[in-house]
Structure formats: C-alpha cells, structure tokens
Amino acid sequence: MTPDTPPPDAGRRPPKRRRAGRAAGEASPQQAGRAQGEGAGRRHERRVARLAALQEERKAARIAARRAERKAARAAERRAARLAAAQEEARQAAADPDALPPADAPLGVVARHLTVEFRPFSERRPSLRRHGLEALRRHEKPIVAVDDVSLNIYRGEALGIIGSNGAGKTTLLRVLAGTLPSDTGTVEVYSEEPPTMLSLGAGFNRNLSGRRNIYLGGLAAGLQRDQIDAMFDDIVEYSGLGEAIDRPASTYSSGMFARLTFAVAIRRRPQILLLDEVFAVGDQAFRKKSSETMKELLADAGTIVMVSHSLGRLRVFCHRLAWMESGRLMAVGNPQAVAAMYLAHLGMTEEEEEDD
Amino acid sequence: MTPPVNCLPVANPSPALSLSSRDGLGTYLVALWRRRHFAWHMAMGGMRSRNSSTTLGLLWWMLDPLILGGVFLLVFGVILNTRRGDPNYIGFLLSGLFAFTYTRTTMMRGANAVSSNASLIATQRFPRMVLPLSAVIEGAVAFSVSLVPFFLIAGFSNGDWPGLHTLVLLPAIVFHTMFNLGLSLLVACLVIPFRDIGNVVGHIARIWMYLSPVIWPLDERLANAPQTLARMLEYNPMAGILGLYRTALLDRTSLPYHWWGSAAWALGLLVLGVIVFRRMEHKLPRYLT
C-alpha cells in the first residue's frame, strides 16, 4: 500500500471507536472487574441513554443538512434574481443616452455579431488520433467563447472589458486585433493601421540584447526598420533602461523587461491600443508615466480597449465599461453603473471589491 | 438577439479597414514583402540566441558544419570506406552533406516555426508565412557560411577552387531555396493540427539523407538494383539538386534530369506549399489557443 492511500476504514472511524467503547464496557475483563458492584439495570439504562443520544445527534444532523440545502436553494434563487435584475438594469443603462459618448464622436472600431466557437476535443488537443476520432464524433458540442457580440468603440475613448474568468474577454480582444478570425460577424476599423495589441513579451527574445529586442518587437508590431531607427532613442529613454539596453534581456528584471516591451508598443503612438491584463507595468513611477502616456493617446483621438480584473483601476480610467459573461455582452455603459451590476452579479459588495 | 441600442449603425465616411475579410494572394505577397526585415531579424535573432551563451559564439556557425563533415568522413570515408576509389571523396561528401543540412534545418525549424511563436500569433497581425520563411533564411545563411570551409577544404585537398563552373551555384541555390521554402511552408502548417508529424520529421530527414546521393553516388550503387527503384531514387528531389551542386562545386558533369528534376520539384513544392499554407493560415490561431 502506498503511503498516501488512506486506510480503508478511515471514513468509519467514529462508529468503530464507539463499538470499541461499548465492548470495553461489557466484555473486557478489567472493566468487568471494576464494574462488579454496579447493577445490571444501571448498565442497561446507560446503554439506552447512549442510544437515545446517538439518535438525537443523527436527527439534528439530518435537520441541519436539510436546512443548509434550503439555504443554498434560496441563495441560488436570490442570485438568479440579482442576475435578472442586473440584466434589466444593463438594458436600461445601454439605452441611457448619458452612458454614451456624444453622438458625433467618430467611430474607431465597429464589431458586428461576432461569434467565436472552439471545439475543445478536436482543436485544443489536436493529434492524428483525435482527428480520426473526430470524424466519428461530429456532434461534439463546441464552446462558445464569444456569442453574438456587437459593439461600437469610439475614437478618444477608453473602454474597459470586465467579466469572470472564461467570459471571453481575451478572445474578443483578439478578434478586435484581427489575430483570431471570428466564425461569424465583421470587424471594421476606422484607422489607417490595424489595432495594436499589447501583451508583454510577444516577439521578444530573452537571449538577445535589449537593442535587438527593440528592433525585433517593433518589426513584429509592423514597423519598418527606418521607423524604428527614428524612434529608437525615444524608446530607450522612455523605458528608462539606459546603459542596460546593450545587455542581454535575460539579465533584466521582469519589471525592466515589461517596461521595454511597453515602451516599444506605446512609443509608436498607436491609434487603437488593445491591452490584455497589462495595465500595471513596472514600478509606481513607471505606472504613473504609462497612464499619463495613455491619457495623451486618448486626447490625441486614440482609442484604448483594456481587459483587466482590477475593477477599481478600470472604473477610474475608462469612459465606458463593457461587461461580458459566458461569451455574451451583458452591458455597456457608465463605468460606475456597469461595475455595480457586475458586482451585484457576483454577489459582492463594493467594500469586498475594494479589498482586492 | 438584437444589438444593443448603442450599436446602431452610424454613418462614418472615413475609409475602414476590414479585419474579417481575407486578402487576395497579391496583397498578401505585398504584405509579406513589407515584412522581409522582420523575417530576417527573426532568423538572425534565432541563430544568435542559440549561440549566445557559448564561449565561441558566432564561430559555431563555421565549426558546426566542419564537425559534422569530420564525423561523416570518419565513419563513411575511413571506417566503412565508402569512397570506392573516388579520388575526391572529401569534396563529394562535404558538398552533399552541407547542401542536405540546409534542407534538414529548414524542415526541422519549419516544424517549430508556427508552434513556438504562439504568443506572437495571438497578439500580432502579420502574414504568417513570415515564420516558415525565417526558418528558410536561417538555413540559407548557415549554408552560405558553410561554403567557406567547404572551399578551403576542397581547394587544398583536391584543387577544387571556385571557377567558371561555380556560376551554376546560382540556379542551384535558387531551386534549392524554392524547394526548401515549399517544404517549410507545408511542414509548418500541417504540424499544427497533426502534432504527430513533429515527432517523425527528424526520422524522415535521416532516412531521406541515406536515400539521397549524399554519402554515396546513386548511379554506382544502383547497378544491381531493380530498375524501378533506381528510377524512384532519381526522382528524389535531392538527387537533382545535389547533382547541380556537384557541378557547381566540384566541376562534375551534370545530367539533364538534374536540371529539369530540380526545377520541377522547386516550382511544384513551392506552389503546393503556398496554396496549403494559405488555406490553413486562418485556422492556425484556433489550434494554438
């Protein structure tokens, strides 16, 4: 028997001990000797009392279990009611003209009826064997990561996307970036260049120097070599790496590396910037600098779409929030209102959220 | 589901870029050409980073083919005595070996080109052909570098210095590179849905080398072989390409099938690779998620 398997009677320990106790009271020679003076009636009484106590205990446990069940059912009901209320509120908020940018705001990105489905069996863990099986299992149900999402994103606005894990936020962002083709729907970008998606370290090579990484990252992002030449000094200065720029990136701290990749992405002044969970980069000073740069970008009629779990930060920075749940867009609008709905859906109070 | 109120179509006069439509082949190739520096930097960055922590550094670009050639010379030239009276066996072996290494490198790197850059594919929008292309560039640079030790060895051992016949090197490299690009494109996209291919690529490269005139000339060995087998080995794409290389590097006479064989294979595989890759390309991000 391996050491980590529990003994077979582990679950039945209390009754066994009880039986042992009873056996000791009746049959053990020493106990019998000590109990010699006691009468048989008293022994019987004690046994009855013990049995009665046991029954009482079991009854109480049954009642407690039933009570807990009812409580859970009530909680689920309340949750469903809250969700329904939140959805209703969301519909109203979406219709609320105050939650929208001015009607004449120019469009940045228009997404129409986007749907993305993943077939987990055949596509997530592909191999020859699974493809052979796939032919037999066509009926397998796909996972709908993005479910009929339509969204207008305007120039000069910061849009935050919130939602639980697996709600389809990152998938939506990748569709907006044009790196993941959607199954249905269209994305139209009102800009000369496709949106820039920033995720830390994509296209960078840790074994190369910071200098080479700036070229590699910039070229990966679609810049031409002379464009990178022109903005090279600016990127180095912005990243604050100084002399370290000629050292291999493997010697950088994670904060330094993050600053370098952020600098490459932001100093090209993208018109539409998509951020996936990379809002907080580097130390406090760099964080301040980066959020100032992002505000400049917005003032310059740029657009920022960001996905984050840090609700507090999104609520402060974004002009509108979009809330996604299991692939669907639940609400878009006023950050305070949408954040409140999201928290209500989670069953959390604002104070609980602030603790995070 | 009706779209939310704030998604009603708004008239917008500025020209839009549609991310959902796929480019035609022409615009695709233009976009690919615009990304040529990216492909080059990826290739050089890959080569540099592989040797970044070694003491000899970039000298390994030269040392690697030399050691490879030395091992094969020892095993096949000395121990097994495959030379069979060829006075310039060293030149014969090294020319075949270095050229075949070019194909093997692109095939192996091509198999990893897409799968090892999943985060790049998830976040950046670019013609994905850049990735297998950079694998070919890497192999081409390594092959060009290995020509230096080749000429030194062949020149000093047998007087095979570059001459007029070396001009054949140009069509040989062009055909060979086209062939390798097609191969790299095919392997790079097919290995994503069928990961099993990645496990076989190395073995295929090895058996392919022994069935190609790398270590021994086919004509001599095939005197007693069945006619069909001889034909099949002649149609081996590497037979024609290696024939051209030996004309260029060792001034040996080239047979007609060296020319038309390598040209046909180069063109055919490149076209096939481009077509298959273009069909697979938009599905790649799904497999990599």
Side-chain angles (χ1 to χ4, degrees):
Chain A
M1 191 160 64
T2 51
D4 53 339
T5 40
D9 59 343
R12 278 185 281 120
R13 194 158 282 165
K16 197 181 175 189
R17 208 178 292 143
R18 204 157 48 228
R19 229 182 293 131
R22 196 187 299 166
E26 287 167 358
S28 146
Q30 292 101 332
Q31 290 278 326
R34 229 184 284 157
Q36 230 165 12
E38 296 178 25
R42 277 186 69 186
R43 262 203 318 240
H44 180 70
E45 245 170 59
R46 269 204 323 211
R47 243 164 80 188
V48 168
R50 253 204 310 266
L51 268 175
L54 197 69
Q55 273 170 355
E56 199 59 37
E57 205 177 283
R58 280 187 187 153
K59 202 172 157 192
R62 266 203 305 275
I63 290 171
R66 233 177 283 144
R67 213 175 270 158
E69 229 169 70
R70 271 202 298 270
K71 200 174 163 191
R74 271 201 304 273
E77 254 170 51
R78 272 204 304 273
R79 216 179 169 72
R82 252 203 317 263
L83 179 59
Q87 279 173 346
E88 184 49 43
E89 215 178 315
R91 249 173 252 125
Q92 285 169 6
D96 178 9
D98 292 339
L100 300 179
D104 57 343
L107 280 170
V109 182
V110 178
R112 287 273 169 274
H113 300 294
L114 295 178
T115 300
V116 178
E117 291 182 351
F118 287 108
R119 272 166 206 83
F121 183 73
S122 56
E123 290 186 343
R124 289 270 166 114
R125 305 168 74 197
S127 74
L128 208 58
R129 179 169 57 89
R130 289 182 180 274
H131 270 264
L133 284 175
E134 190 211 18
L136 304 171
R137 296 203 191 181
R138 281 279 173 209
H139 59 274
E140 191 220 355
K141 214 174 151 203
I143 291 174
V144 185
V146 174
D147 190 357
D148 195 30
V149 169
S150 298
L151 189 63
N152 284 354
I153 304 169
Y154 297 87
R155 301 295 289 268
E157 87 163 335
L159 175 76
I161 304 179
I162 52 170
S164 322
N165 285 335
K169 308 181 294 288
T170 301
T171 309
L172 177 63
L173 209 62
R174 286 175 57 190
V175 174
L176 294 180
T179 58
L180 180 72
S182 59
D183 288 316
T184 64
T186 55
V187 180
E188 275 171 358
V189 178
Y190 292 85
S191 148
E192 290 97 62
E193 55 184 34
T196 299
M197 181 150 164
L198 174 59
S199 85
L200 295 181
F204 286 68
N205 190 331
R206 279 263 185 173
N207 286 327
L208 302 177
S209 68
R211 180 181 297 274
R212 284 185 196 280
N213 267 312
I214 287 178
Y215 278 91
L216 207 53
L219 288 166
L223 293 174
Q224 294 300 307
R225 212 158 44 173
D226 46 349
Q227 286 174 297
I228 305 174
D229 287 335
M231 62 174 77
F232 185 85
D233 293 332
D234 179 48
I235 291 173
V236 176
E237 203 211 311
Y238 189 86
S239 68
L241 285 178
E243 296 293 308
I245 201 68
D246 284 313
R247 283 202 335 238
S250 53
T251 63
Y252 293 2
S253 70
S254 55
M256 285 164 82
F257 193 64
R259 261 153 48 198
L260 180 69
T261 52
F262 188 81
V264 172
I266 199 96
R267 289 323 271 178
R268 60 178 295 206
R269 305 194 158 275
Q271 290 168 310
I272 300 165
L273 182 65
L274 311 176
L275 299 173
D276 188 9
E277 296 283 2
V278 285
F279 192 60
V281 160
D283 51 21
Q284 291 295 335
F286 191 78
R287 224 179 273 191
K288 184 163 172 283
K289 190 154 86 171
S290 64
S291 69
E292 269 163 20
T293 315
M294 284 199 268
K295 285 195 178 122
E296 270 170 40
L297 205 84
L298 292 174
D300 222 17
T303 301
I304 296 180
V305 182
M306 52 178 79
V307 165
S308 178
H309 285 289
S310 165
L311 196 51
R313 203 168 270 128
L314 283 188
R315 211 158 30 180
V316 173
F317 192 83
C318 294
H319 302 115
R320 287 193 304 160
L321 274 192
W323 167 31
M324 283 184 83
E325 209 58 61
S326 48
R328 286 173 175 270
L329 196 62
M330 307 288 281
V332 192
N334 181 293
Q336 304 301 332
V338 175
M341 274 175 244
Y342 174 56
L343 289 177
H345 167 65
L346 290 182
M348 284 168 84
T349 58
E350 302 236 344
E351 291 77 55
E352 277 178 317
E353 195 274 322
E354 297 298 328
D355 292 343
D356 294 339
Chain B
M1 189 177 144
T2 52
V5 180
N6 65 339
C7 287
L8 291 177
V10 179
N12 202 317
S14 68
L17 200 77
S18 181
L19 294 186
S20 23
S21 65
R22 277 210 282 157
D23 297 332
L25 186 61
T27 30
Y28 186 89
L29 291 180
V30 170
L32 186 64
W33 175 248
R34 279 176 56 82
R35 294 297 190 121
R36 64 193 182 280
H37 294 304
F38 178 37
W40 173 258
H41 269 76
M42 284 259 298
M44 298 319 274
M47 289 184 82
R48 218 174 274 276
S49 77
R50 254 184 284 285
N51 288 318
S52 64
S53 47
T54 55
T55 317
L56 295 176
L58 298 188
L59 211 58
W60 275 110
W61 292 14
M62 212 68 96
L63 284 177
D64 204 45
L66 273 180
I67 295 174
L68 184 76
V71 168
F72 274 81
L73 265 181
L74 179 70
V75 173
F76 292 99
V78 179
I79 299 175
L80 295 177
N81 195 18
T82 324
R83 57 175 73 211
R84 293 262 182 103
D86 189 340
N88 185 17
Y89 184 68
I90 295 182
F92 178 86
L93 177 70
L94 290 189
S95 59
L97 199 60
F98 290 176
F100 194 86
T101 305
Y102 178 17
T103 294
R104 205 194 55 202
T105 328
T106 49
M107 199 158 91
M108 309 282 275
R109 298 248 192 283
N112 288 323
V114 172
S115 51
S116 64
N117 285 302
S119 70
L120 201 59
I121 286 176
T123 56
Q124 307 290 350
R125 193 177 145 85
F126 60 91
R128 310 300 187 203
M129 271 187 204
V130 165
L131 300 172
L133 182 65
S134 85
V136 174
I137 292 175
E138 210 175 302
V141 171
F143 174 59
S144 313
V145 171
S146 72
L147 283 178
V148 176
F150 171 81
F151 274 123
L152 287 178
I153 293 173
F156 280 115
S157 68
N158 200 44
D160 277 318
W161 298 105
L164 262 184
H165 58 272
T166 315
L167 288 177
V168 180
L169 198 57
L170 190 70
I173 288 184
V174 168
F175 289 150
H176 193 188
T177 304
M178 282 167 68
F179 178 79
N180 285 347
L181 183 57
L183 192 66
S184 180
L185 287 170
L186 273 180
V187 174
C189 66
L190 291 181
V191 82
I192 299 301
F194 308 104
R195 292 289 167 115
D196 312 56
I197 291 177
N199 296 352
V200 216
V201 165
H203 299 296
I204 291 177
R206 194 161 301 130
I207 187 71
W208 191 8
M209 185 177 80
Y210 291 118
L211 290 179
S212 306
V214 173
I215 298 161
W216 40 68
L218 285 184
D219 38 2
E220 177 199 332
R221 298 285 151 144
L222 291 175
N224 301 325
Q227 194 62 32
T228 44
L229 183 69
R231 264 288 125 74
M232 268 171 62
L233 291 181
E234 267 180 26
Y235 290 137
N236 173 354
M238 287 316 284
I241 291 169
L242 290 179
L244 289 188
Y245 274 120
R246 284 182 177 133
T247 307
L249 299 174
L250 306 171
D251 202 9
R252 300 196 177 186
T253 47
S254 58
L255 303 170
Y257 88 87
H258 289 165
W259 287 94
W260 62 255
S262 44
W265 269 108
L267 206 65
L269 205 68
L270 183 59
V271 169
L272 183 70
V274 169
I275 290 172
V276 172
F277 196 90
R278 285 265 297 160
R279 289 198 159 200
M280 290 288 297
E281 184 171 5
H282 71 286
K283 292 185 195 154
L284 294 181
R286 295 300 182 87
Y287 289 112
L288 292 170
T289 305

